[in-house]
Amino acid sequence: MSQNLTIRKGLDIKIAGGLTDLSPVDAPLSASVAVSPDDFIGFVPKSAVKEGDTVKAGDPLLFDKRDNLMKLVAPVAGKVTAIVRGERRKILRVVIEPDHSGDAAIFDTKVNNADDARRLLKISGLWALMRRRPFDIVPNPDIVPRDIFVSALDSAPLAVSPARFYADAKTLEAAVALLSLTTKGNVYIGRRNDGLLPDIKGATMVDIAGPHPAGNVGVMIANIAPINKGESVWTLDLSTLWRIGRLMLSSSVDFTDYVALTGSEIAQPKVLKTVIGASIASLTDGAIVKAEYHQRIISGNVLTGVKVDADDYIRYPYRQITVIPEGDDVDEFMGWASLSPKKMSESRTFPGKLFGSVFRPDARLLGGRRAFIMSGEYERYMPMDIMAEYLLKAIIGKDIEQMEKLGIYEVAPEDFALGEYADTSKIEAQKIVREGLDYLRKEIE
């Protein structure tokens, strides 16, 4: 069974550094691999290993203090070389030196009911790769999801479709069969109608057309089956669904990862085959254009990614690295008001918009922070029934009643990323939404 969904609102940003060859190549072996619990909001970590311990791929590294069955596991076999802590001994990451033995933990995949399915997902580390709405956090094991939504497309700038690498029907059907035990509702899979992903038995396929943010799972939820107060749904990407299927078929977790190395500062953009949590250096060494100016490495895309250093590690959701100029040493005539055709803007005031230019953006804000102008800009880029600017003001004012009325249960920070990019006021919308979701969860749960 399939449905069609056409997105009208949105924007595909034209920036340099896109992929021309989508065939994956093997990345150099990473000297170290790391898991960062900060990537898994809602997971309260406690160490399950000590420095010097030897682990197999799939062995637990961290467990949740509130549910010791819920684990973050090792993506590779090797030796735990560091448990990096921050203030108040907060665990920042667990670092493993791979031994390249290929040893992997074996799980009992005999599943008879929903409880068995939940237990298997938790102990294998795959539970933590899913998200729950409302709040965009690791799912609460005590809450049964109304539906489960899988995004099999990535419409973000310079991203590549995961359906090119994780489209094996037998594997995905095994995953859908397992997830179907955990909900009384439907498993929806959103995809492009490009033939890359076949129909998956047991799932409702949603063929999605339109510009970014068509690939955001929140857009699919809002247009197919919106969330009401008191309801909960799970979300995951296609790679996580594929890993669940691999677990069911092989009794071990496959942490193979395909990372799009993109951006104007990459000499030859490519897709790299590696492992989740690999070091940034193993993916970017020799690939970044040598320059006198500063460059920014982003784990993710330019809208939602996290700034990282070369000695850092790729962060969840592990799909993309983008490298752009930092821009902190640019001396530009007239600054943000320049009428140069190279100036990136969605306003028709700037020549670059009229000429349909492919831009080479840097990381500058390009404008000063000012009062929140109610301009309707967010509504132009959000294909959801949300009054975004009013919701942001309600969050800033910590007005829970207004937040609920305006639809905070339906959104995640990524849904505001495109509007934040175009926002005249330069409001940090994603940060505001994340803080609002955390505040609301603390108050009502």
Side-chain angles (χ1 to χ4, degrees), residues 138-217:
V138 174
N140 184 334
D142 298 326
I143 298 177
V144 177
R146 185 204 67 194
D147 295 301
I148 298 174
F149 292 84
V150 182
S151 178
L153 64 150
D154 192 342
S155 58
L158 305 181
V160 62
S161 172
R164 292 185 176 277
F165 317 112
Y166 303 105
D168 180 68
K170 183 179 179 181
T171 301
L172 298 178
E173 286 172 4
V176 169
L178 180 72
L179 290 176
S180 296
L181 295 174
T182 66
T183 177
K184 296 180 180 178
N186 297 320
V187 177
Y188 295 94
I189 301 179
R191 64 180 178 183
R192 292 289 194 197
N193 188 15
D194 52 13
L196 290 177
L197 185 67
D199 289 349
I200 304 302
K201 181 181 178 181
T204 299
M205 309 302 294
V206 182
D207 293 326
I208 303 176
H212 186 65
N216 287 4
V217 70

Side-chain angles (χ1 to χ4, degrees), residues 23-31 33 100 256-261 270-285 287 314 321:
S23 302
V25 297
D26 291 336
L29 296 176
S30 181
V33 171
H100 309 298
T256 300
D257 194 24
Y258 295 91
V259 179
L261 185 59
K270 66 188 76 172
V271 178
L272 296 172
K273 183 180 180 181
T274 183
V275 64
I276 67 173
S279 66
I280 297 295
S282 70
L283 304 173
T284 60
D285 278 359
I314 189 168
I321 292 176

Side-chain angles (χ1 to χ4, degrees), residues 350-394:
F350 292 83
K353 174 64 176 177
L354 298 176
F355 297 154
S357 302
V358 175
F359 299 103
R360 185 176 178 269
D362 55 40
R364 288 177 294 161
L365 188 63
L366 295 180
R369 290 186 175 89
R370 56 183 71 87
F372 198 162
I373 301 169
M374 302 294 283
S375 60
E377 288 170 312
Y378 285 87
E379 280 73 15
R380 287 176 57 196
Y381 300 110
M382 287 184 66
M384 305 168 72
D385 189 17
I386 297 289
M387 299 175 68
E389 293 168 340
Y390 291 96
L391 175 56
L392 288 171
K393 287 202 167 188

